[in-house]
Amino acid sequence: MTNIGIALAVIGAACAALFAGIGSAKGVGLVGEAAAGVVSVDPSKFSKVLILQLLPGTQGLYGLLTAILMLSRVGIIGGTPADLTAAQGLMFLAASLPIAIVGLFSGIAQGRAAAAGVGITAKKPDHNGKGIIMAAMVETYAILALLISILLIYNISI
Amino acid sequence: MSNTNYASAVAAVKAMESSLLTQSELEQLINTSSAQERANLISSKRGTGNETLDLEAAWETVHSYAPESRELEILLYRNDFHNLKAALKAMVADRDPERYYIKPTNIDLPEFTKLIRAKEFDMLPDHLKETAAEAYELLTRTLDGQLADSMIDTASLAAMQKSAAEFGGDFMKRYADLMTVCADIKTAYRCSKMNKPRQFLETAVCGCGEMDKESMIRAALGGTESFLSYLETTAYSEAGKLLSESAAKFEKWSDDRVMELAETARLQAFGSDPLAAYYIAVEAEQKNLRIINICKESGADSETITERMRKLYV
């Protein structure tokens, strides 16, 4: 059980990438469905709906970033894993939770908002920006969660 | 991820909505002087050379996006039951029913005709089988086409309500209720004018949660004044006033209420409600174009035509 600390940190990194990635996949998939519906009727709107489809993809990137930073901090990426106690490992696991949980739910919620925004683009292409802004508002909370996760990762003393 | 069904279909329908006529385009059509001018205006709007949005094509599109949605099929129940009337009457009169059929419909018409002719009513779709057998028996026993029609019309409303309650959402339940209320008000008013007996009213009035069948029948049996007084006590007092002015005004009021309901459905981002709303919008647009064409042919002035125009969706 000497490696329990590092194991918990790895689980934390995996959670960050996993849950935020699931959120993004679901969100991007949903917007993709809506976008495909519009493009099937009017292919000229492809570029406009593509921007909306990209929006829920950021949570997955935040999860990836968090996982890489965490693995780097605990020395896994460098090839020399730190000697972490169980308490330190748990702290790393806790540090991954903000982006893991918020990433999951905000990815799905942003997907819904962006899919509804696709409807605006479909009907009033000139108002495409409004749909993007409304979907982008959800991003705020993913960024806040990312910020907290990063602050925690860099402030856990090893 | 709940309630995100039909994301693709809803987005596609929203894109198609841009080809529906707007209020200003309708006004332009009203002010045209010839059928050719109207055709050109519509063609330039659609940009495809298509002068009209075909209702059958609109249904095919909506249905192809949500083929498993039994909820949407409720929109065609009126046509299905109309076709049942046509098939039964044609059978009794030994005529070909094909020319009396309305499309789009949920039923396979050639197969439907064969089944009706063979009196195999059990083989008909669920929402039609019982009514078909009862209507056939009634028609052959009484030879009263009007009574059979009333019975089928009432059964159509009851089937809409039953199916909406069974597999419909809130929008479809409200749609079924609204269609029932409008049809019942019109029928009960006519019956009160013609002093129809209670027996006929019981067959012709369907009733729903909002408008109790027994109360309507009692009011209608007391004559038109009694019926209009009854309507005053309900949420449909405006309908009563319009009905006493003219049937055309009441029809317009009914269609506008349906369109208002469709407007609430089109604001949804997911689900089958916006698909239903789009179909209702195409139906209303076709009705408006028909009214313009008929009024223009009969020499009506622009003001009269404008008064008759149904509410628009876009």
Side-chain angles (χ1 to χ4, degrees), chain A residues 26-27 30 33-38 40-42 45 108 111-113 115-116 118-120 122-123, chain B residues 1-18 65 266 269-270 313-314:
Chain A
K26 285 199 165 201
L30 180 63
E33 270 186 60
V38 173
S40 70
V41 177
D42 185 357
K45 295 196 175 102
I108 295 169
R112 287 180 65 109
V118 167
I120 300 178
K123 208 164 172 191
Chain B
M1 288 284 279
S2 59
N3 305 321
T4 53
N5 294 335
Y6 307 121
S8 166
V10 172
V13 157
K14 285 194 193 297
M16 287 189 286
E17 279 173 6
S18 56
Y65 282 127
R266 81 180 174 126
F270 307 104
Y313 184 70
V314 285

Side-chain angles (χ1 to χ4, degrees), chain A residues 73-94:
Chain A
R73 180 90 168 90
V74 300
I76 297 257
I77 284 180
T80 49
D83 190 16
L84 299 180
T85 63
Q88 285 170 323
L90 270 176
M91 280 194 266
F92 275 107
L93 176 59

Side-chain angles (χ1 to χ4, degrees), chain A residues 10-108:
Chain A
V10 169
I11 292 172
C15 283
L18 185 74
F19 292 112
I22 292 173
S24 274
K26 285 199 165 201
V28 171
L30 180 63
V31 189
E33 270 186 60
V38 173
V39 173
S40 70
V41 177
D42 185 357
S44 69
K45 295 196 175 102
F46 174 71
S47 56
K48 288 190 168 177
V49 292
L50 190 63
I51 300 167
L52 282 159
Q53 195 188 359
L54 289 174
L55 286 175
T58 51
Q59 281 80 351
L61 293 176
Y62 299 159
L64 177 74
L65 177 67
T66 307
I68 289 173
L69 290 177
M70 195 179 288
L71 293 175
S72 165
R73 180 90 168 90
V74 300
I76 297 257
I77 284 180
T80 49
D83 190 16
L84 299 180
T85 63
Q88 285 170 323
L90 270 176
M91 280 194 266
F92 275 107
L93 176 59
S96 75
L97 293 182
I99 192 59
I101 296 171
V102 177
L104 171 66
F105 290 107
S106 71
I108 295 169

